Amino acid sequence: MRTVRTPFRSPRALTPTARVRRLRRRITVLFALTSAVGLVAMAALAVRSDGVRWREQLDQAMSADTNWALGLLETDEDGRLDTGVLLDNAGTACPPLFLLAARDTATDLVVQHAPRRPCLTVAPASVQRAALAAVRADDPRSLDARTTAGEPVRMFALPFYPPDAEEDAEPQGVLVSVADASAPRADHRRLTWVVTGGCALLVLLSAGVGHLLSGRAVRPALEVLDRQEAFLTDAAHDLRTPAASLRTLAETALRGETDSTDVHRRTLRLAEGMGTLVDGLLTRARLMSGTAVLAVEPLRLDQLVEAVVEDTAAGGRPVTVRAEQAVVVAADPDLVRRAVANLVGNALVHGHRPGEAAEVEVTVGGEGATATVTVEDAGPGLPPEVAGALFDRFRSGSGSTGLGLSIASWVAHAHGGGLTAEPGRRGGARFVLRLPAGGPPAP
């Protein structure tokens, strides 16, 4: 029993187009992540700077109030603190001001004065903690705290010393001031949300911009892949029928069912047809990819058309050429010859009714800065179902490959002109090839 093996294809294998699209998605994600990292770093710096700023502002205000209150403290003859002047001249209830005095050591602090009805009620432990921090550091200290109701406050502790104290003397006490931090914290929280939302919006915008830019970056690659896929499809589509015909003819010849002379004649005809197909496919691929370089030179368009018609209609098929005047253009002779030959050949094949001979008329003329080649037949006309896409591949509407008109249209556009189709005067089709008299535009 014979085992037929099929090539294994991994389920994760991707087509070239899919890989390019995946690359675009990765570029978009990388662009968004890079922007996100930068924006998050800037946002964190802005939020942190704002948090430092509002705390410094509160600390400066409390430092000014506490130093002013410190100037009102006095010491009696026994070296004890006298708070009379302070209590008589300063309201210590709002913002609350606490006076802690040292007993045996600097860290043994007792509250000597506390406001009776402060506007901000703070736990004694919080006041004690702020005072001890200032004493141990031997420097003014500030910290965040909470009231007994849970509201945020800022506490500032300032140690003070006896008059004429030496440099290594221990503090005599500590003044602790309390400030309401609800409004600054609310502003800071609002800024945080605004910055966060702005960062999220900018990241989304960055992702969108990255998606657009990556799309423009990979678009040439996708176009190349599309052209390659179109070429392969064209080649497979156009060569399948003649290849099958050659195989059938060879099998018939091997069985001896056909005369050898007839086999050779049909083989030659099929080979010539395949050569024409391959030549047309390659020309179209070069035109679509932009690799076909125009060999522009001054060209007598009327003479070229007459030569093409003479070669195309060599079998006695009626083709009339009318050249109103000598028409000179700057164009690629080979490409223009192929375009004209395709139009004339298309008219000879499809431009007649069943059982009737083809009647084709070719007119060469000039309209100002534009030279025209008009190919008109007396056939059944343009099929309505293909009139809108007549110059696309595989859209001839008559069972042919449809490459001839497509190539002619590409040649016209490559020279800065155009190709149009319209009903003819005799009921058939009329194709007008337009080329600039001054040659193609600069690339």
Side-chain angles (χ1 to χ4, degrees):
M1 181 177 179
R2 183 179 179 182
T3 303
V4 179
R5 295 184 179 180
T6 57
F8 174 76
R9 181 181 177 88
S10 172
R12 299 186 60 184
L14 297 176
T15 63
T17 302
R19 287 198 295 268
V20 172
R21 297 187 185 280
R22 184 178 63 179
L23 175 63
R24 181 187 182 184
R25 291 192 295 269
R26 290 181 175 180
I27 293 176
T28 301
V29 172
L30 180 61
F31 193 87
L33 287 177
T34 303
S35 302
V37 170
L39 289 172
V40 168
M42 293 179 62
L45 181 61
V47 171
R48 183 177 180 278
S49 299
D50 183 73
V52 173
R53 179 191 57 81
W54 72 261
R55 286 180 172 85
E56 288 180 348
Q57 289 179 350
L58 284 182
D59 292 348
Q60 290 176 1
M62 289 188 296
S63 177
D65 293 341
T66 307
N67 278 282
W68 178 75
L70 181 61
L72 299 179
L73 288 177
E74 296 182 353
T75 305
D76 58 15
E77 296 179 354
D78 298 331
R80 292 176 299 180
L81 288 175
D82 183 3
T83 60
V85 178
L86 173 63
L87 299 179
D88 292 341
N89 293 276
T92 61
C94 196
L97 181 65
F98 298 86
L99 174 63
L100 289 83
R103 290 192 300 186
D104 298 333
T105 61
T107 57
D108 186 12
L109 299 174
V110 294
V111 178
Q112 186 168 343
H113 169 73
R116 294 183 179 180
R117 296 180 179 178
C119 57
L120 298 170
T121 305
V122 184
S126 299
V127 177
Q128 191 79 14
R129 184 169 61 253
L132 287 176
V135 169
R136 289 168 180 169
D138 197 19
D139 197 36
R141 282 290 180 270
S142 56
L143 52 87
D144 294 323
R146 295 276 178 177
T147 63
T148 54
E151 296 295 329
V153 293
R154 186 77 172 165
M155 305 183 68
F156 181 83
L158 177 66
F160 58 89
Y161 300 85
D164 302 329
E166 298 179 358
E167 294 183 359
D168 56 349
E170 294 184 349
Q172 189 177 10
V174 182
L175 284 174
V176 179
S177 177
V178 182
D180 185 10
S182 300
R185 276 188 175 273
D187 293 340
H188 179 70
R189 190 179 303 110
R190 191 178 304 110
L191 175 66
T192 302
W193 281 110
V194 170
V195 171
T196 303
C199 286
L201 182 62
L202 289 176
V203 169
L204 292 177
L205 180 62
S206 174
V209 172
H211 189 68
L212 292 177
L213 294 178
S214 61
R216 296 189 63 178
V218 302
R219 187 179 304 162
L222 290 175
E223 291 176 354
V224 170
L225 290 174
D226 291 340
R227 287 195 293 266
Q228 179 183 6
E229 183 176 356
F231 175 76
L232 294 176
T233 304
D234 291 348
H237 179 275
D238 294 333
L239 296 177
R240 184 180 295 113
T241 300
S245 300
L246 281 175
R247 179 176 179 178
T248 303
L249 186 60
E251 292 175 349
T252 303
L254 287 175
R255 290 194 298 266
E257 300 175 359
T258 307
D259 182 62
S260 60
T261 303
D262 183 57
V263 170
H264 293 160
R265 186 182 302 110
R266 293 169 61 184
T267 302
L268 179 61
R269 186 168 59 251
L270 286 173
E272 290 177 349
M274 291 182 67
T276 303
L277 284 177
V278 172
D279 193 16
L281 287 169
L282 293 177
T283 301
R284 181 179 180 275
R286 287 195 296 268
L287 289 173
M288 291 184 64
S289 63
T291 58
V293 181
L294 299 180
V296 177
E297 61 182 54
L299 176 67
R300 281 286 298 272
L301 186 60
D302 54 323
Q303 294 179 354
L304 181 141
V305 171
E306 291 176 354
V308 169
V309 170
E310 183 178 354
D311 295 339
T312 305
R317 290 173 288 186
V319 179
T320 304
V321 180
R322 291 193 309 165
E324 301 174 357
Q325 57 184 353
V327 180
V328 180
V329 295
D332 188 316
D334 293 335
L335 292 180
V336 175
R337 182 179 292 107
R338 176 172 292 277
V340 175
N342 289 346
L343 292 177
V344 175
N346 180 76
L348 289 173
V349 174
H350 309 296
H352 62 89
R353 300 181 186 277
E356 298 180 2
E359 296 181 8
V360 180
E361 182 178 302
V362 182
T363 304
V364 183
E367 301 174 1
T370 304
T372 61
V373 178
T374 304
V375 180
E376 186 173 353
D377 59 60
L382 300 175
E385 64 273 9
V386 300
L390 194 61
F391 304 127
D392 295 342
R393 58 192 179 100
F394 308 147
R395 295 306 298 270
S396 69
S398 303
S400 65
T401 63
L403 284 175
L405 295 179
S406 174
I407 291 174
S409 177
W410 274 96
V411 170
H413 286 90
H415 286 81
L419 178 63
T420 57
E422 57 191 30
R425 293 172 298 176
R426 296 179 292 174
R430 183 182 184 185
F431 294 89
V432 181
L433 175 68
R434 292 180 174 84
L435 298 173

